[in-house]
Amino acid sequence: ALPAARLDGVLLQRMRAGVAEALLGYRRDPALGPMVLVGAGGTLAELMRETALRPAPVDLATARAMIAEVPALRLAQGFRNRPAGDLEALAQAVVAVSHLAALPEVAEAEINPLLIGPEGGGATALDALVRLTEG
C-alpha cells in the first residue's frame, strides 16, 4: 500500500497466556519520596483503579501484603475455581521494582501489564516504561 515506506525492522514476541495481569510501578514523588505501587493491570487498570501503595523499597512480606490489598488480583488466587497464578513471582517483581529507589537517576517506571503466569510459571513484563530524572 505504501511502496515508499521504509521499514527499519520488525518486532516479534512469543504469545503468552496467563492467569491475570498486574500493574507495577515506581515513582519518586516530590512530596512523599520513592513509592512503589501494585494494582489491577491491563484494561482493568483503567476500569478498576485498585492499587496498593508503599514507600520504597519494600521487602517480600510487604509486597505480599500489597498484593492481598488489591481485590482484582484475587483472580490470580484461584478465585471461583480459576487456575491459581504465580503470586510469589509477582511479589518478587514488586520487591525488585521497589529497589529502583536506590538509583537516583530513575524518576519513575511502570510495567503494565505484568502477566501473571500459572503457579510456578513466573511473571512476564509485556510493556514497560522507565523515565530518568532530568539534569
Side-chain angles (χ1 to χ4, degrees), residues 13-23 86 89-90 111-118 121-127:
Q13 185 171 338
R14 181 184 309 187
M15 292 292 293
R16 298 245 358 232
V19 174
E21 295 176 336
L23 163 70
D86 197 340
L90 174 57
I111 302 169
N112 185 26
L114 179 70
L115 185 68
I116 303 167
T124 304
L126 300 182
D127 193 5

Side-chain angles (χ1 to χ4, degrees), residues 1 7 10 13 30 37 43 49 51 57 66 71 77-78 98 105 109 124:
L7 295 177
V10 176
Q13 185 171 338
L37 172 139
T43 55
R49 302 211 183 262
T51 61
M66 292 172 70
Q77 294 175 351
S98 81
E105 63 271 16
T124 304

